[in-house]
Every structure is written in C-alpha cells, then in structure tokens.
Amino acid sequence: MVKPFDKCPVCGGELVEKEVEKILRGGVDTAVIKVQAEVCLHCGERLYSEETVSRFEEIRANLR
Ligand SMILES: [Zn+2]
C-alpha cells in the first residue's frame, strides 16, 4: 500500500501507523470500529487511506 502522506499536512509532523477507534454515527445508531490510520505525533491529526474512508461510507450507509 502506498502511503497517502509522508508528513502531517497540518503541521508537518511525523506520522506513525496506529490502530485507532473511529466512531461513526448515523441516525440513532453508533458504530465503533478499529482501523489503521496514520497519526501525527505532533498534533494528533488522523489520516485515513481511501480504502478506509470508503469503508466508513459503507458502514454509515447501514446506520439509521
Ligand atoms: Zn500534525
């Protein structure tokens, strides 16, 4: 997989790959999923791959 970013686009800080919890809300349902993300060591910005973002969309579409 090609990394979408080398450095944090917000502050230029170093990114590390981590497993993070993402909360998705749709209607009255809430889903919490664990995904891999690039997390900035400096400002905590999370960057998700396109694949992960489309997974969010899929899950969100099933929430009501
Ligand atoms: Zn940053």
Side-chain angles (χ1 to χ4, degrees):
M1 190 183 93
V2 180
K3 282 193 179 183
F5 297 99
D6 248 0
K7 300 223 177 231
C8 175
V10 177
C11 72
E14 201 181 324
L15 298 172
V16 285
E17 197 176 345
K18 269 195 197 173
E19 191 180 64
V20 298
E21 281 192 350
K22 171 77 178 173
I23 299 166
L24 297 168
R25 290 196 183 87
V28 294
D29 285 341
T30 302
V32 181
I33 58 166
K34 286 191 175 177
V35 293
Q36 290 295 120
E38 298 285 327
V39 182
C40 176
L41 291 175
H42 187 70
C43 72
E45 179 77 3
R46 290 173 178 187
L47 303 164
Y48 303 105
S49 68
E50 258 178 59
E51 202 186 315
T52 305
V53 172
S54 52
R55 236 181 98 198
F56 292 163
E57 297 304 315
E58 245 171 68
I59 293 164
R60 242 185 227 127
N62 289 320
L63 297 174
R64 55 193 89 234

